[in-house]
Amino acid sequence: KMYSLKPIISEFDVEKPKNMYVIKEINPREERQDKFLANLQTSLQVGKEGDLGDLEEKQQLLLEKLKELKRQLVSLQEGLPLCRKPVQPRTANLPDEYVIAVDPATIPYSLLLMLQQKRVPVEFYVNFFTHSSVAQLPEAAKEFAEEISRLSTGDGQKVTVIWKTGMPANFEVILNPTTSFWGEGNFIRYLSRMGVLDNTQDTDDMLLDMSHQLLVLSDDRKEQTKLADRLMGTIRKQKASQSVDYTTYSALRNFRNATKSDKVDVVLQDIMGRL
């Protein structure tokens, strides 16, 4: 059974004050049109007769007013503190030298392809050194170094390749004592961003990542073979930029050297045909 509560506050009426005053609107609702636009609209009105001569006259008036408006904008621009220096070429920010530490078991064929490129050649002056961690340099690495030496010129960007083992990854690029990054695909990305190579597309990132992962899986031959099949299938379906072809070729060529599998030969030939 419900019970009732006594009201705490009794009902009462509130009288509205009668001494309030009305404040005029600061901004009237009907906004004033700009005089220039109003005059322009009036001058462009054409009578019902649609006289062609009047229309041409009004068109000429409009052009003159646009010229005057442009002149005013130019005068305003000249008064602004804008930077007048010419645009600096992107290559001005390139380091004096690239130092690349690479495992001799995974040869950076992208360097060779860039030097062999005839349409847009990349000029590199490449020197090779062998780290004490390498007991004996493989014959494939020796042949690669000899071919690079024949193609590199003394006038190009300086590149120092150090054959080295025992690294967390098989390819390290050192730009300066405090800046470095890993991966042959990331080196291609860097050169593309700096304007040395053609720009990569958004769809190219997957190919670059798969190429990098293909070399990382060198200890797991089964998974590496599966990834190689996926990479080759993607290459056949997807059109990649030229700079990405450097990376995919290098990854598949190293996979070919390690596994002696000839199923990648057709894809390698297709890539070489595009370069």
Side-chain angles (χ1 to χ4, degrees):
K1 185 176 181 180
M2 301 298 294
Y3 57 90
S4 59
L5 294 176
K6 294 181 179 181
I8 299 175
I9 300 176
S10 59
E11 296 181 1
F12 59 92
D13 296 332
V14 178
E15 295 182 1
K16 296 181 181 180
K18 299 179 181 180
N19 60 345
M20 300 297 292
Y21 56 90
V22 180
I23 300 177
K24 295 182 179 180
E25 294 183 5
I26 299 176
N27 295 322
R29 295 182 180 180
E30 296 181 358
E31 298 180 357
R32 297 180 180 178
Q33 295 183 351
D34 186 86
K35 291 183 179 180
F36 174 79
L37 295 178
N39 295 335
L40 181 61
Q41 184 178 5
T42 303
S43 63
L44 291 177
Q45 290 179 354
V46 181
K48 295 182 179 180
E49 297 80 4
D51 184 67
L52 185 59
D54 292 342
L55 183 60
E56 292 178 353
E57 182 179 353
K58 296 179 187 302
Q59 183 180 7
Q60 185 64 29
L61 177 62
L62 175 61
L63 293 176
E64 292 178 358
K65 291 186 177 182
L66 289 176
K67 289 181 181 179
E68 176 64 19
L69 181 60
K70 182 179 180 181
R71 187 192 64 79
Q72 294 177 5
L73 292 175
V74 172
S75 62
L76 291 174
Q77 184 180 8
E78 292 177 352
L80 295 176
L82 300 177
C83 179
R84 304 296 180 182
K85 294 182 179 180
V87 178
Q88 298 295 325
R90 299 177 70 181
T91 53
N93 297 324
L94 292 176
D96 297 332
E97 178 184 9
Y98 298 118
V99 178
I100 301 176
V102 60
D103 193 317
T106 54
I107 298 173
Y109 289 104
S110 60
L111 284 177
L112 180 61
L113 293 179
M114 283 186 278
L115 290 173
Q116 289 177 337
Q117 181 55 236
K118 296 180 180 179
R119 287 182 295 175
V120 187
V122 179
E123 294 183 352
F124 284 145
Y125 177 58
V126 187
N127 289 318
F128 288 89
F129 296 92
T130 303
H131 191 263
S132 58
S133 60
V134 179
Q136 185 176 1
L137 199 63
E139 288 298 324
K142 293 180 181 179
E143 295 175 359
F144 171 80
E146 292 175 358
E147 193 168 2
I148 287 285
S149 299
R150 288 195 298 267
L151 294 173
S152 62
T153 61
D155 299 330
Q157 182 80 16
K158 187 176 181 181
V159 178
T160 298
V161 177
I162 303 175
W163 301 113
K164 184 179 179 181
T165 60
M167 298 183 296
N170 51 21
F171 192 99
E172 181 186 13
V173 181
I174 304 172
L175 302 179
N176 55 57
T178 60
T179 306
S180 64
F181 55 86
W182 299 92
E184 191 173 3
N186 287 329
F187 183 52
I188 296 298
R189 280 192 179 102
Y190 171 81
L191 294 179
S192 299
R193 301 298 189 272
M194 299 304 295
V196 179
L197 300 176
D198 58 335
N199 291 328
T200 57
Q201 307 170 5
D202 294 337
T203 54
D204 294 334
D205 287 334
M206 181 175 63
L207 291 173
L208 292 172
D209 293 338
M210 292 174 67
S211 300
H212 175 74
Q213 192 67 18
L214 184 65
L215 300 178
V216 173
L217 292 174
S218 58
D219 294 335
D220 191 341
R221 196 66 70 193
K222 184 178 180 180
E223 291 297 325
Q224 189 185 39
T225 303
K226 291 181 180 179
L227 183 58
D229 293 337
R230 286 180 52 202
L231 178 58
M232 289 187 290
T234 306
I235 292 174
R236 294 188 184 98
K237 297 177 182 178
Q238 178 177 319
K239 183 179 179 181
S241 59
Q242 185 183 63
S243 56
V244 175
D245 283 338
Y246 298 150
T247 308
T248 54
Y249 179 91
S250 183
L252 291 174
R253 177 77 179 272
N254 279 290
F255 173 76
R256 172 73 167 82
N257 295 344
T259 61
K260 309 301 180 184
S261 174
D262 57 356
K263 63 180 181 179
V264 301
D265 291 348
V266 176
V267 179
L268 293 176
Q269 292 174 3
D270 291 341
I271 295 176
M272 289 298 296
R274 294 197 297 265
L275 297 176

